[in-house]
Amino acid sequence: MIPIPVAIALLCAFLLVLLDTLRVREAVLKGVFLIGALLPAPVFLFVGVGSEVVGGWPREAGIEVAVTRLNMPFLVGEIVLFAFVAFYSLAYFNLKDGKTRKVLALLLLLHAGLMGAFVARDLFNFYIYMEIASVSAFSLVAFSDEKGAKRAAFKYLMLSLLASYLFVFAVGLVYMETGYLNVGLITENARDSRELQVALGVALSALVLKAGIFPLHGWLPDAHSKAPTPVSALLSGAVVKAPAYGMILLLPALPAGEPLRLALLAVAVVSIFFGIAMALLQKDAKRLLAYHTVSQMGYVLLGIASLNFLGAAYYAMAHSIFKGGLFLGIGSMGRKSRELGTFGYRGDAVMMASVIALSLAIGGVSPLIGAYGKGLIYSNLSWPWKLAVPLGSVGTLVSFTKLNSYLAMGRGVKLPASWKLPVLGLALTALAGGLYLGLGLNPKDLLYLSAAFLIFQLLKRAGVFEKSPSPGGGEVGEEVNRLTAVMVAFILLLTLIQGV
């Protein structure tokens, strides 16, 4: 039963292509798309927690899938976000355009790929579904008419393929050493060896790149900011979570020493603060949000590296909800221009309340859902790694104080309810999720908010927000080569640090 939701999304994607070829009515296409988007949720609820081997084969030869306490938050975050994005997409894309209709099929492939990756319990099938999601993702980026979108999609494609090949190479090494691809069987049979250490270093590097974590984030700001708004929401809210789940599969299965975990903790902390610093300097609103994905994925890696997988999973779920909502909100208001100061939510109470709530959620303010995952991650960290969580929260709140100060000055334009309601829905989900998980008001948040406002005022007077780094450019091939060189250096770091 567990693979059925994935099969539903794949079948509906196939039907969409077939029905589009047969020139059926637009209403039928929308109906099939919504079935593929929404039906997996009740099926997962009916199935519940458990595991099975597809086809009843022996575990050694079959494909094991599972719904557990660890992957459930990833699934919930993806399914909730995709449901809101599905309704938004039907209003956003012009389906009378024959080219645009194919977007719906690609979105369902992305949905299926992510669900398949999250339920996979063997490395090869995890890879296959992660690739289905990746190929759909950079195809969707290329659908954007925005200047620079094709360049961003090409860079995303090249680096994503590089990471994929390296991941498959690492999986091959694991299979050669243990004789298994099933994560449970690998865990039982893996013995410390140089080959497995190399495999772990290469695989983790590939997943760090696909997750857009510093220093392998170079493709992310362009891809996430140039994509159509609903695609940006899915890229940032869900697609980067699949590689994070891959790290949760790998780390407990293979021998990972303390030096490797310390290196990952350091990378996570640097990613948190690098993302915040770059976001503070952005004048493009979607690019500001994109750099916050680099920062927020640092929190997820912080949980993974400290072996607090449940904390990482809950923060990944929270990030899916509030970051998806922020991209939909900012993308709706900034449809004509994304430059800060040229648009806003003044006079639009719904968008104002939604964006402010989502901004507080990403800052980890209670009782919104972001505080729960951050609390779990913080509780399992040792000194001084603990400092990264509250300091990162203050930095994030500074950045979103800047964003909201610009939005509060700009008058909102009239937006269709079909654009505003998904943003409001995700904001209410962030609040309801936090209350469901038992969060109440936390007096410490007043301290964080006050510190953030004070730092914002100091930075504003110092003229920091007037500066903006060059967005880059030049030959895309040269940029890919530079990012590849960084990737090679990162692989060497993760392998040599294990004493290979």
Side-chain angles (χ1 to χ4, degrees), residues 485-497:
V486 176
M487 171 77 167
V488 172
F490 193 77
I491 292 172
L492 287 174
L493 170 71
L494 290 194
T495 49
L496 293 176
I497 208 166

Side-chain angles (χ1 to χ4, degrees), residues 36-117:
L38 305 179
L39 191 56
V43 176
F44 270 126
L45 282 176
F46 177 76
V47 171
V49 174
S51 70
E52 64 184 72
V53 179
V54 179
W57 289 79
R59 199 178 177 202
E60 291 80 0
I63 299 170
E64 186 176 5
V65 290
V67 177
T68 67
R69 287 176 66 232
L70 277 183
N71 63 8
M72 182 68 86
F74 284 97
L75 283 166
V76 170
E78 196 277 336
I79 287 171
V80 169
L81 174 60
F82 197 87
F84 285 107
V85 169
F87 285 111
Y88 186 95
S89 298
L90 290 180
Y92 182 90
F93 291 110
N94 176 16
L95 299 182
K96 298 192 186 310
D97 179 351
K99 173 187 163 188
T100 310
R101 288 181 171 202
K102 295 176 176 57
V103 166
L104 299 185
L106 285 170
L107 285 171
L108 285 185
L109 280 178
L110 181 65
H111 190 33
L114 291 172
M115 288 189 294

Side-chain angles (χ1 to χ4, degrees), residues 194-276:
R194 288 190 174 187
E195 288 77 9
L196 286 184
Q197 288 173 350
V198 170
L200 186 56
V202 172
L204 286 176
S205 302
L207 295 174
V208 165
L209 187 148
K210 280 182 172 279
I213 295 170
F214 178 89
L216 306 180
H217 65 285
W219 58 272
L220 187 148
D222 285 347
H224 285 204
S225 62
K226 299 291 184 186
T229 290
V231 177
S232 296
L234 288 173
L235 288 176
S236 186
V239 175
V240 293
K241 306 303 180 337
Y245 178 67
M247 295 182 211
I248 292 177
L249 289 179
L250 274 173
L251 268 181
L254 298 176
E258 189 69 9
L260 178 66
R261 293 203 302 106
L262 288 175
L264 291 176
L265 281 170
V267 168
V269 172
V270 174
S271 194
I272 288 171
F273 293 102
F274 172 81
I276 291 170

Side-chain angles (χ1 to χ4, degrees), residues 293-333:
T293 301
V294 177
S295 176
Q296 300 294 310
M297 288 307 293
Y299 286 106
V300 177
L301 182 59
L302 203 59
I304 294 169
S306 59
L307 305 183
N308 182 2
F309 302 131
L310 200 60
Y314 272 100
Y315 196 70
M317 177 184 72
H319 184 256
S320 297
I321 292 167
F322 55 65
K323 182 51 80 61
L326 282 166
F327 261 114
L328 292 185
I330 298 301
S332 300
M333 291 184 287

Side-chain angles (χ1 to χ4, degrees), residues 306-479:
S306 59
L307 305 183
N308 182 2
F309 302 131
L310 200 60
Y314 272 100
Y315 196 70
M317 177 184 72
H319 184 256
S320 297
I321 292 167
F322 55 65
K323 182 51 80 61
L326 282 166
F327 261 114
L328 292 185
I330 298 301
S332 300
M333 291 184 287
R335 183 79 188 263
K336 292 183 179 175
S337 168
R338 301 195 314 251
E339 187 176 347
L340 291 173
T342 62
F343 66 96
Y345 52 46
R346 188 156 56 90
D348 188 335
V350 172
M351 290 302 279
M352 181 187 293
S354 302
V355 172
I356 290 175
L358 292 164
S359 301
L360 293 173
I362 197 172
V365 175
S366 298
L368 295 149
I369 196 168
Y372 185 79
K374 276 189 179 174
L376 284 181
I377 292 171
Y378 179 84
S379 65
N380 202 51
L381 289 171
S382 58
W383 185 265
W385 302 108
K386 275 182 182 289
L387 280 175
V389 177
L391 293 180
S393 294
V394 172
T396 304
L397 288 169
V398 173
S399 178
F400 278 88
T401 303
K402 171 194 167 184
L403 176 66
N404 280 279
S405 70
Y406 278 106
L407 295 177
M409 288 189 292
R411 175 159 289 281
V413 296
K414 187 173 176 56
L415 295 173
S418 52
W419 286 19
K420 292 199 285 187
L421 290 178
V423 185
L424 178 63
L426 285 165
L428 292 174
T429 304
L431 176 61
L435 294 173
Y436 175 78
L437 292 168
L439 291 176
L441 293 174
N442 187 345
K444 281 185 182 176
D445 292 336
L446 280 177
L447 181 64
Y448 296 155
L449 286 166
S450 303
F453 185 73
L454 180 62
I455 295 170
F456 165 74
Q457 291 296 340
L458 290 173
L459 293 176
K460 187 178 178 183
R461 290 190 182 188
V464 172
F465 302 139
E466 302 303 320
K467 299 173 182 174
S468 182
S470 168
E475 287 294 327
V476 65
E478 290 179 10
E479 195 173 353

